Amino acid sequence: MFETIAIAQQIIEERFTAQDVDLLMNALVPSVRFRVDADGDGRVGGTRMGGTPDMPAIRAWPARPAPENAREIAERGGPDGLEDRLRHLEADMPYAFIAQIDLEEADALGIAGDLLPKEGRLLFFYDLVTGPYDTDWQSGQVIWDSAPRDLLVTQEIPAELRDAEQAYRAALAVEMAAYPDLLEETLSGGSPYGGPRRAMELTANYALPAAYTVAFSLNAELKTRYEAEPELFAQPYDDLFYAYWNGGPGLRNQLLGVPVPEQDDPRFDAARADLDSRQAREEGLSEEALTEQIETRAGEWRLLLQVDLSDFMQVPQDGTIYFLINENDLGMRDFDNVIAVYQQT
């Protein structure tokens, strides 16, 4: 939202009364934004979106294991394409590569603190074909790779992903043959099997939380002020928030910070998935008790990465992916239990 604290102070002072400036300045949450590095050479180990990751030759590109409830997941997408989704789930298909974060670059910004490791890379993968129908640990994967940079190799896309993408584009060409201009635009971007390779640079960001997020609810003073003054405070607050987030491509991509939801705060989805698979099954919690647990535990989850799919694919595409991690796991540098949440309006 704001690149520096000074810019935040100036803009907030222009829009709010003096009594609210301190309240809003204290509510700012630091995060990291992405900016296309037009002069970037896509250096090995550097921050990027799309393309393929840099990993040691001995590390395998991760694949999604076939779930036991594959048909149930496939059916959540409706009858169209059901059998294709089912075959995808049963094939142990490699994930689509989403992003690579240079942790030394992130640390150099000075705002991540001890939240992230200070060396290596975070590699983000997601199942773009069926992940939107399955919020759990298997729809995405995050790898912390701390191998020295001189051991890294830019990976080739796995044959299974390459073949699936070629089949996908061939089917699109047939389906959209009557709309050549639209077809050309669509084929110029990414697909459910990967996005265009783009070198990125990281920049500091300071943002106010959306009024329907966990972070906002936990700020009692901010929430009270917002609810007490709908015209003098709440409306200017929302206007400022959405003027920024709707202001251009790529603005919804961020590392850390407060999620910008398309629906409800995705941390509720992560908490539900966690409780559904662990505690709720073991203890047989009622729906009411489960809801209370979700509301309590949502604050234990933290946003790792948020990616706008339109920006990732570089063609119009619905949805945002949120990679969320439990704070305890983050503190222990355990990225095996990251939950990927998909939302669209």
Side-chain angles (χ1 to χ4, degrees):
M1 181 171 282
F2 310 111
E3 291 187 5
T4 67
I5 292 293
I7 291 174
Q9 179 103 20
Q10 176 185 346
I11 293 175
I12 288 172
E13 286 179 347
E14 290 172 354
R15 289 164 172 77
F16 294 89
T17 62
Q19 67 177 5
D20 291 326
V21 171
D22 286 345
L23 170 62
L24 292 172
M25 292 299 296
N26 289 332
L28 290 172
V29 180
S31 63
V32 178
R33 279 193 52 212
F34 298 81
R35 183 164 54 203
V36 175
D37 186 358
D39 300 323
D41 57 2
R43 65 186 177 86
V44 173
T47 298
R48 76 170 64 103
M49 283 194 175
T52 60
D54 301 326
M55 299 187 293
I58 60 172
R59 183 184 285 278
W61 188 300
R64 176 172 187 165
E68 294 181 1
N69 61 335
R71 179 164 289 276
E72 176 192 342
I73 295 171
E75 288 176 345
R76 294 172 190 164
D80 292 344
L82 169 60
E83 294 304 319
D84 289 338
R85 291 192 295 275
L86 184 58
R87 282 191 293 271
H88 176 91
L89 284 166
E90 293 176 340
D92 294 321
M93 182 69 72
Y95 293 101
F97 171 66
I98 303 299
Q100 172 173 292
I101 309 299
D102 181 346
L103 291 169
E104 292 181 13
E105 181 185 2
D107 183 59
L109 293 175
I111 61 175
D114 294 326
L115 289 176
L116 297 176
K118 299 182 183 300
E119 69 285 329
R121 294 142 301 283
L122 285 180
L123 309 174
F124 292 83
F125 299 85
Y126 185 68
D127 179 4
L128 284 163
V129 176
T130 62
Y133 312 110
D134 187 31
T135 298
D136 70 359
W137 292 271
Q138 293 189 345
S139 59
Q141 186 168 340
V142 178
I143 295 172
W144 174 30
D145 179 24
S146 58
R149 200 178 298 268
D150 59 3
L151 295 182
L152 301 180
V153 177
T154 300
Q155 301 294 304
E156 296 290 335
I157 187 169
E160 302 95 320
L161 279 185
R162 184 193 61 231
D163 293 346
E165 179 165 18
Q166 289 174 350
Y168 168 82
R169 292 182 181 277
L172 270 183
V174 173
E175 181 181 339
M176 302 175 64
Y179 310 96
D181 291 343
L182 183 58
L183 174 62
E184 182 179 358
E185 177 187 355
T186 302
L187 293 179
S188 69
S191 77
Y193 306 99
R197 176 184 172 118
R198 294 185 295 158
M200 295 282 177
E201 57 181 342
L202 302 177
T203 63
N205 183 52
Y206 299 88
L208 294 168
Y212 44 93
T213 58
V214 174
F216 186 95
S217 298
L218 293 176
N219 188 325
E221 186 178 2
L222 179 63
K223 182 180 179 183
T224 299
R225 181 78 176 119
Y226 183 93
E227 293 175 347
E229 294 284 0
E231 294 184 5
L232 295 178
F233 186 87
Q235 190 60 54
Y237 186 97
D238 289 342
D239 288 345
L240 176 59
F241 181 86
Y242 288 109
Y244 169 76
W245 286 110
N246 296 327
L251 291 179
R252 295 176 67 87
N253 300 328
Q254 67 177 56
L255 181 72
L256 301 176
V258 178
V260 182
E262 293 206 30
Q263 298 170 10
D264 206 344
D265 193 316
R267 284 174 289 189
F268 290 121
D269 297 295
R272 173 176 284 277
D274 186 29
L275 286 167
D276 273 349
S277 63
R278 297 183 182 181
Q279 184 172 343
R281 290 180 186 173
E282 295 171 4
E283 300 182 4
L285 292 178
S286 67
E287 187 62 29
E288 181 179 358
L290 180 61
T291 299
E292 291 180 0
Q293 290 273 13
I294 290 168
E295 292 176 351
T296 299
R297 298 196 180 189
E300 299 172 2
W301 289 83
R302 181 178 289 276
L303 177 70
L304 259 186
L305 181 69
Q306 171 177 319
V307 177
D308 176 355
L309 284 180
S310 283
D311 186 73
F312 171 72
M313 290 194 180
Q314 291 292 285
V315 291
Q317 180 73 31
D318 290 336
T320 301
I321 309 167
Y322 308 84
F323 293 89
L324 300 142
I325 187 169
N326 186 277
E327 287 192 340
N328 288 334
D329 288 337
L330 183 58
M332 293 186 293
R333 303 301 189 240
D334 181 359
F335 295 91
D336 289 341
N337 297 317
V338 170
I339 292 180
V341 174
Y342 169 87
Q343 291 185 357
Q344 71 176 66
T345 53

